[in-house]
Amino acid sequence: MKRDIHSLIQSWLNGDITPADFEQLQDELLHSPEARQQLRHEINLDMVLRDHACSSLDANLTPWVQENPPARNSKSNANPFLRSWVPWAAAAGIAALLTAGVVIRTQRNSLQASAKVEETNQGAAILTRVSNAVWTDQTHSPRSGDTLGTGTFKLASGLAQIEFFSGATLLVDGPAEVEIHSPWKATCHSGKVRARVPPPAQGFVINTPQMEVEDLGTEFGVEVKPAESSTEVHVFEGDVNATPIGSKLVHLSEGEGLRRCNAGITPLKGNRSKDFVCLERMDALTQNRAKTRFAAWKEWKKQYCEDPRLLAYYAFQRSCNWERAADNDAPKVASFCTGGIVGARWTQGRWPEKDALEFKRPGDRVRIRLSGEYEGLTFACWLKVDGLDRKYNALLLTDGYEHGEPHWQILEDGRVMFSIASPPTSDGQTPEAQAYYSPIVFTHSNLGRWHHLAVTYNAISGETTHYFDGRQVSRELPPQQPPGCTVVYGPCEIGNWGLPAAGHEFPIRNLNGCIDEFVIYKNPLNNVELQAMYQAGRQD
Amino acid sequence: MSEAAPPEHYETFVRLFVSHEGRLRGFVRSLLNNWDSVDEVMQETSLVAWRKFAQFDPDTNFMAWAAAIARFESLKHLRRQSRDKLVFNDDILDLLAEESLEDTEHLEHQRAALSTCLAKLDTRQKDLLQLAYQPGVKFHEVAAQAGKSTQAFYKTIQRLRASLLNCAERQLKQSGASA
């Protein structure tokens, strides 16, 4: 069926046009000047609507744009691009160009980020822990700490603990299929789940194909066997209301159960508690798992420190409580590479036995000094970001910003930025630094948990690659010629910026989060090596 | 690189760029398939335009000059996108680019008129539009927020859009008649 040009243009603008409709749209646009004019008018309208929506949104943006809250402009000055350019124009200067460019993009993206954040925060639950979990859909396997929205989660094997925003906790014993409807409601399509429901979550409902189970503040188990068309519910503590579909409500108390098989409803003794995994068992499993992971990481680290390409390896593992030095475990590097911890406090890392450093206050930092010139680099760290408070949030920055010096930081919108200062040109001008951005990798729903972050840089070609959790997220060549200088460091800081350039617009860049392991190489590593590094160090 | 304009031209550049930014954005959007790409291309365009600013002849039209850069940056961006993305073919891009430039002034008047019309809507209608056009959101998601089915939400928005376009057209006709 042919669609009219108006609806074709709308689909195109909304980004949900089908390939067939797109063909038709192209055809119309090619042959009809009116169609093209209509397209221009609709785009114009879109632009006006977006600009107005953007400007009204500013008022609600405090969490992500703290340092320089956008002025609350009148409608007449509603163009967001314009707003970011005006203060910049006042502070004109070539050196500011790049920074200002970043500001424009950052501001737009931070608006987007917060809009997206609103949407993701509408999740219903958090996957708090998993144990040997294998998900049926490998491409969308959630990790512990993930916010879960509505939808179906198929656990092929292993255990998963889901905490609903209502306060109810589900322990899912794979294979199982659980569908989350809301913080108050889930369906168990198959498998075994145990629900623990504290008083504030009373009224939490688990549906099954044969029964609806409403909790009255208790602990109970549900087992669904689709092959037998059966559902069993067992009450271990407290009371539940069970309503077999098409039948009357049955009130069950502690030690009671009910089985529905096809049309038959049978009372049961609710004494199969041992058959349902409990929180205590989950605790033990998680602890064991953490021990195993930690041991594996220690083993791997031994080998790893032998790599001659290492320039520095800070494991951030303290040897005593008042330790204020961050040891460099790379053996072939002189001792002055030991980092000095300033302000940052020791805290727990990826596992209970592993330490990490917590960076919170503007003064917190680890000072290091690295000598030599290199033809490339790899930075990698295990990082838990608690908030992106600053326009730039430091990972590793050299003091100042002389040519050949790298800066690695997270932007407030959740993208990672790597930049390297360029040498002066032959006529003595300082060109802008080469900066490379990842897509948005940090969002509200993945803050507060451990991630592996890495960047590689080849000083010859200028090629820069960003990695997030072992996965390449962007690869870029410099827009013009390669910078033509080797990488140098000198004094640097992890988690802060030691010596901001005088009069810099954004001198405060302290990180809000924890770092557990920071590695610096003399060369760019490849995809396979970074994936391996992630796998060896992942939390669970 | 070494051709970059001297720093004292910087303010001139910023002034010109800012005053043409709206027109350029609309132009770029006509070539690209989403607003996020527009942001990226505008970013690149601003940087390239500044780098090449020494080559700009002040007696000529800045919009035409910047649009040429924006067009080139848009094409670069489209080529970077993978093949399965729905990208207009070159003939259409040529037509759109050419006509957008001819149409620049009219489009700008239309935007001004649209803003006036938008201001006249009631609060509820404005709220709905704000919800629908916040950056980075999808229609069906905001429909859920607004408590409506996607279809109903979509229709409401379409009606509002149509009435805004009509209103702007009436206004332009009136001002054209009185001028």
Side-chain angles (χ1 to χ4, degrees), chain A residues 501-522:
Chain A
H504 200 287
E505 209 183 342
F506 306 109
I508 305 199
R509 301 191 175 188
N510 64 299
L511 179 72
N512 175 6
C514 303
I515 300 180
D516 146 336
E517 203 174 40
F518 199 110
V519 204
I520 302 167
Y521 281 86
K522 303 168 190 166

Side-chain angles (χ1 to χ4, degrees), chain A residues 10 12 14 26 36 40-42 44 46-47 50 79 81-82 88 92 97 101 108 112 115 432 480, chain B residues 10 18 21-22 29 32 35-36 39 43 50-51 89 92 99 103 107 110-111 135 139 154 161:
Chain A
Q10 291 310 318
W12 179 73
N14 290 342
Q26 288 221 84
R36 295 196 293 273
R40 283 195 291 280
H41 287 179
E42 295 282 353
N44 229 15
D46 231 43
M47 192 151 100
R50 266 160 216 280
N79 183 333
F81 192 85
L82 193 69
W88 172 46
L97 182 66
R108 260 182 196 286
Q112 286 164 9
E432 64 212 41
Q480 286 87 33
Chain B
Y10 194 65
V18 166
E21 197 270 337
R29 178 61 175 94
L32 302 178
W35 286 105
D36 290 344
D39 289 341
Q43 183 73 16
W50 166 239
R51 279 186 214 121
N89 66 41
I92 295 176
E99 290 173 354
D103 218 10
L107 289 172
Q110 193 198 28
R111 280 203 296 281
F139 254 86
Y154 190 80
R161 283 182 72 113

Side-chain angles (χ1 to χ4, degrees), chain B residues 16-169:
Chain B
L16 280 168
F17 200 93
V18 166
S19 63
H20 291 84
E21 197 270 337
R23 275 173 264 181
L24 273 175
R25 282 182 71 73
F27 171 71
V28 169
R29 178 61 175 94
S30 70
L31 306 179
L32 302 178
N33 48 5
N34 63 67
W35 286 105
D36 290 344
S37 304
V38 174
D39 289 341
E40 269 179 52
V41 166
M42 283 302 292
Q43 183 73 16
E44 275 311 305
T45 302
S46 67
L47 293 175
V48 173
W50 166 239
R51 279 186 214 121
K52 294 192 171 171
F53 193 54
Q55 299 165 9
F56 170 65
D57 175 357
D59 296 331
T60 60
N61 182 346
F62 182 82
M63 178 62 196
W65 180 77
I69 295 174
R71 173 145 193 274
F72 183 72
E73 291 303 320
S74 303
L75 287 177
K76 259 182 27 194
H77 183 88
L78 290 172
R79 301 229 164 85
R80 273 201 301 271
Q81 291 190 333
S82 53
R83 259 168 267 119
D84 55 281
K85 291 264 173 63
L86 301 167
V87 171
F88 289 140
N89 66 41
D90 286 358
D91 290 346
I92 295 176
L93 288 175
D94 281 342
L95 281 169
L96 287 172
E98 202 177 305
E99 290 173 354
S100 298
L101 273 183
E102 289 165 11
D103 218 10
T104 303
E105 209 167 314
H106 173 249
L107 289 172
E108 201 160 9
H109 290 146
Q110 193 198 28
R111 280 203 296 281
L114 283 168
S115 289
T116 317
C117 295
L118 187 59
K120 287 185 203 152
L121 294 180
D122 66 42
T123 320
R124 198 190 62 87
Q125 290 171 320
K126 278 187 213 157
D127 285 352
L128 270 180
L129 286 172
Q130 204 225 304
L131 198 61
Y133 291 96
Q134 316 162 43
V137 302
K138 298 212 170 66
F139 254 86
H140 61 93
E141 292 157 357
V142 286
Q145 267 185 50
K148 297 184 176 199
S149 79
T150 314
Q151 208 51 36
F153 186 72
Y154 190 80
K155 276 192 184 143
T156 312
I157 297 295
Q158 289 313 322
R159 268 201 299 277
L160 285 173
R161 283 182 72 113
S163 77
L164 282 170
L165 283 174
N166 282 335
C167 164
E169 199 176 338

Side-chain angles (χ1 to χ4, degrees), chain A residues 183-442:
Chain A
W184 293 92
K185 193 172 175 183
T187 296
C188 177
H189 292 288
S190 68
K192 273 193 291 193
V193 300
R194 175 191 281 258
R196 190 177 271 187
V197 184
Q202 272 177 28
F204 182 79
V205 171
I206 294 189
N207 280 337
T208 74
Q210 289 86 24
M211 209 186 288
E212 181 183 301
V213 182
E214 185 192 357
D215 192 281
L216 305 172
T218 55
E219 191 164 334
F220 64 95
V222 168
E223 181 171 24
V224 177
K225 292 181 181 161
E228 301 172 8
S229 303
S230 75
T231 295
E232 281 184 22
V233 54
H234 296 261
V235 181
F236 309 130
E237 203 186 313
D239 302 272
V240 304
N241 283 335
T243 315
I245 307 296
S247 179
K248 278 189 309 196
L249 181 149
V250 183
H251 185 92
L252 299 171
S253 296
E254 191 171 326
E256 295 178 338
L258 196 68
R259 176 183 161 87
R260 166 81 184 256
C261 186
N262 291 318
I265 302 169
T266 334
L268 291 174
K269 281 188 180 162
N271 54 4
R272 284 184 56 203
S273 183
K274 279 184 199 141
D275 295 348
F276 292 84
V277 63
C278 60
L279 279 171
E280 291 68 25
R281 170 101 184 106
M282 187 79 188
D283 287 344
L285 283 171
T286 325
Q287 274 170 26
N288 278 341
R289 178 77 183 156
K291 280 207 176 89
T292 321
R293 295 292 311 144
F294 176 67
W297 169 80
K298 271 209 306 206
E299 212 30 58
W300 170 84
K301 176 174 163 261
K302 271 190 221 154
Q303 284 180 18
Y304 190 76
C305 288
E306 297 299 316
D307 192 331
R309 297 173 300 172
L310 264 181
L311 178 56
Y313 179 12
Y314 302 100
F316 293 149
Q317 183 77 344
R318 76 186 134 170
S319 37
C320 52
N321 271 336
W322 40 268
E323 183 78 271
R324 295 316 279 168
D327 290 334
N328 178 3
D329 294 348
K332 299 186 172 70
V333 185
S335 61
F336 58 74
C337 287
T338 294
I341 300 168
V342 183
R345 275 156 299 191
W346 288 109
T347 179
Q348 187 189 307
R350 282 163 285 172
W351 311 285
E353 294 90 341
K354 176 74 184 73
D355 296 319
L357 277 177
E358 184 185 57
F359 301 81
K360 272 278 175 281
R361 295 159 303 175
D364 295 352
R365 62 196 66 205
V366 174
R367 282 198 67 77
I368 59 177
R369 174 188 286 272
L370 302 166
S371 49
E373 284 185 41
Y374 307 94
E375 289 191 336
L377 62 81
T378 299
F379 293 156
C381 68
W382 278 99
L383 168 76
K384 179 161 75 74
V385 177
D386 291 330
L388 296 172
D389 307 344
R390 311 285 180 201
K391 204 156 267 300
Y392 302 91
N393 302 273
L395 292 166
L396 185 144
L397 282 83
T398 57
D399 283 3
Y401 197 36
E402 300 297 319
H403 66 87
E405 293 185 2
H407 277 185
W408 192 32
Q409 42 205 335
I410 309 171
L411 302 181
E412 67 179 342
D413 62 8
R415 290 177 301 153
V416 181
M417 171 182 172
F418 174 81
S419 60
I420 196 128
S422 306
T425 51
S426 48
D427 53 1
Q429 295 205 29
T430 310
E432 64 212 41
Q434 314 260 355
Y436 307 87
Y437 303 89
S438 78
I440 292 178
V441 290
F442 290 102

